[in-house]
Amino acid sequence: MTDFNEDKQKERIGDLKRHEQEHLAQRLANKNDLPYTDLSLISLKTSAVCIIPEDKSREGHLVIFDKINKNIKVGVLSPEYEKTKEVLKELEEEGLIPEVYIVSEESLSFAWKIYRDLKFTERKKAGSFEISPESINRFQEELKTTDDVNRFIADLTSKKSISDTSAVLEVILAGAFGLGASDIHFEPTEKDLRLRYRIDGSLLDMESIPFKIYKQILSRIKLLSKLKLNVGVKAQDGRFSIDIGRANIEIRTSVIPGGNGESIVLRILDPANISISLEEMGMRKEIYEVFLEEISKPNGMILTTGPTGSGKTTALYASLKKIYAPEKKILTIENPIEYHLEGIVQTQTDHSRGYGFSDGLRSALRQDPDVIMVGEIRDAETAEIAVNAALTGHLVFSTLHTNNAAGTFPRLIDLGVNEKTLSSAVNLSMAQRLVRKLCKKCNKKRGLEEKEKDLIEKVLGSITNRSLLKEVQKDFIWDPVGCDKCHQTGYKGRIGVYEGIRMDSAIEEIVTKNPSEREIKQAALPQGILTMQQDGVLKALEGLTSFKEVSGIVSLQGLD
C-alpha cells in the first residue's frame, strides 16, 4: 500500500484545474472566432505589459503581452466584459492597434506577476543602474574586506521582511568594485543563493543569500539587463551600466537555467582595469624591447595566444594605446566590445545577422585603416584576409587558440595560410598567462625542497641567455599566508608571464616545411627570449609570486 502524498495530490488537482481553464478558454476563443494563447508558454515583453498600469490591467481583465510598432497583442479573459471593452477603446484612441487573444484566468495571473517583479526595480533610464558617488565613497570606506561585505549582506538579509532588494544588490555590486572582483556569481542551491566573487582569477565564497529573495534579485538583474522575465528555460545574455561618478562601468549579464533555478554571472568591465600600460604588465626588459620594436613597425601581424582570462584583451588594448597617434587610423573588430577606447574606431560582430570576424575585417579594409585589431582568428577566411592585410601595408593585431607561441605557426598553416607568406606576414607571436602576485604584507620566505630545487635547476638550465641569471638567488622562495589585505588568500593582484617568437631567418626557413611546435621551439632558441615557464620561475625566485602558483598556471611538469 502506497503512502498518501498530500503535496502531490494538491499538485495533481491544480494541474487538472489549470487544464480545465485552458480548455474553457479555447472553447471561448472558437466561439468568438478569436485566437487563443497560453501566456505561460510564450515570451512576454515587459515593455508591452507596462503600457498600462497594473490596476487598469486587472480591472479590464486583460494584459498586453507583445508590441511591434503600433501593433499590440492583448490577452483578454472575455471580449464581452464592459471594462475590457473600455480599455481596448482607450488603447485604440491612443493610436494603438490591438489584436485580441482569449486567455485563461491562470494565464492572466501568470502575466500579472511581471508587475510584482517591476516593484523591485527603480524606474530609471533604460538599461542603467545608478549609484551615487557619495554611496560608492561610503561603501569604499566601509567595505574594505570580504568580512565587511559579508557583514553588510548578512545584516540586510537577516530581516524577516526584505523590502529593499536594491540595497542588497547595491552592497553586492559595491563590494565587488571595492574588492576588485572581475565577476559576480549567483548560484541557487536547494537551501540558499550562493554568492561568489572572482578576484585575481580565483573564486571566493561570500555570504549566502536567503533563497526567499532569489527571485527578486533575479528579476531585478533581468530588468536591468533587458532580459525576458518569464523565460527561465533558455540561456539569456544582456548588459547594463552603472554610473559611479568616476566612471561608467559596463556589466555583462549571463543567465542560464539550472536544477535549482537560473544561475547568474555578472562580468564587471571597469575602465580602470585597462588603464594599465605595457610597462606595468610584467614583461621583462628583453621581451618588452622586442615587443615594442615589432608593434612600432608599419605593417605585419602581432599575434597573442592564451586561454580566456589570460590578459590578452588588456595586452592588445595597451598595445593600441601605446602606438596611437592622431595621424593613424586604428580600427577594431571585437566580440563583444569590452572597453571603449578614445580615438579608436571599434566595431562589434553579430553572427545572428551574418556579420562575423571575416565580414568585419573585409569591411574594415575599405575604411582605409593603418592598424587593425581582430578579436580572434578562428577560421580560414579570417586568417586569409588578416594575412593579406598584413602583406598590403597594415599592422594587424589578433589572437589565436594555441597553448604557446610556437603553436601559432602550425595553427595558421592548419587554417590554410600559405607557408611561404607567413614569413612576410607575421612579425611576432606572443603567449601569455596571468599569475597571482604574493601579498606584500603576509608572504613567508622558506628554503627549497629537493623536488622543487631539481625542477627549478632544470628550468633555469634551459635558459640560453645566461646573463639573466647573474643576480638570481636559487636557495629560497616565498609562500602565501593570508591576511585581511589579501582576503586571506595570500595573493594580491596579478602579473603576466610571457614568451615570444619573432620572425627571423631561422623561423622563416622552417615554417615552409610545415614544422611541429617542437621544431619551431628549437629554431627559436638562439633568439634568447624566455619561455613562460622560465619567466614564471624567475618571478617566483624574485618573490613576485609563489612557485606553486607558477607550476599550476604554466605547468612545469614534463618539460623538454
Side-chain angles (χ1 to χ4, degrees), residues 250-380:
E250 292 286 324
I251 306 289
R252 282 216 314 261
T253 305
S254 172
V255 180
I256 61 170
N260 297 303
E262 293 171 273
S263 175
I264 313 162
V265 175
L266 303 180
R267 167 64 58 88
I268 300 169
L269 302 177
D270 188 343
N273 293 337
I274 61 158
S275 60
I276 186 170
S277 65
L278 278 178
E279 292 79 4
E280 299 171 296
M281 293 179 64
M283 289 186 188
R284 292 188 174 277
K285 179 183 177 183
E286 298 76 19
I287 195 167
Y288 173 74
E289 290 176 349
V290 168
F291 189 67
L292 197 59
E293 180 183 340
E294 297 300 336
I295 68 173
S296 300
K297 290 181 178 179
N299 59 276
M301 291 181 72
I302 309 294
L303 297 167
T304 63
T305 75
T308 301
S310 61
K312 298 191 300 297
T313 300
T314 303
L316 288 175
Y317 281 176
S319 302
L320 295 181
K321 288 190 290 184
K322 183 72 175 178
I323 64 172
Y324 172 76
E327 62 272 16
K328 287 184 180 179
K329 178 159 185 175
I330 302 176
L331 196 149
T332 74
I333 305 107
E334 305 174 57
N335 183 25
I337 296 172
E338 295 195 4
Y339 301 97
H340 295 280
L341 302 174
E342 188 175 351
I344 293 174
V345 179
Q346 295 172 268
T347 65
Q348 182 168 305
T349 62
D350 187 345
H351 292 285
S352 65
R353 298 181 181 180
Y355 184 70
F357 283 115
S358 59
D359 307 288
L361 183 51
R362 195 180 292 108
S363 300
L365 290 172
R366 294 194 286 268
Q367 291 283 311
D368 187 31
D370 298 293
V371 181
I372 304 171
M373 186 191 96
V374 187
E376 181 185 347
I377 294 176
R378 60 173 70 172
D379 56 57

Side-chain angles (χ1 to χ4, degrees), residues 33-35 48 51-52 60 62-76 79 83-102:
D33 196 25
L34 291 172
I51 289 174
I52 58 175
L62 56 76
V63 68
I64 303 171
F65 62 90
D66 197 5
K67 180 179 184 291
I68 300 175
N69 299 322
K70 294 292 183 181
N71 298 297
I72 58 174
K73 293 181 179 180
V74 187
V76 305
K83 271 291 183 182
T84 301
K85 292 178 181 178
E86 287 178 20
V87 176
L88 288 173
K89 186 177 179 181
E90 288 177 13
L91 291 169
E92 288 175 344
E93 289 173 351
E94 292 174 11
L96 298 172
I97 306 168
E99 181 183 354
V100 176
Y101 289 73
I102 300 296

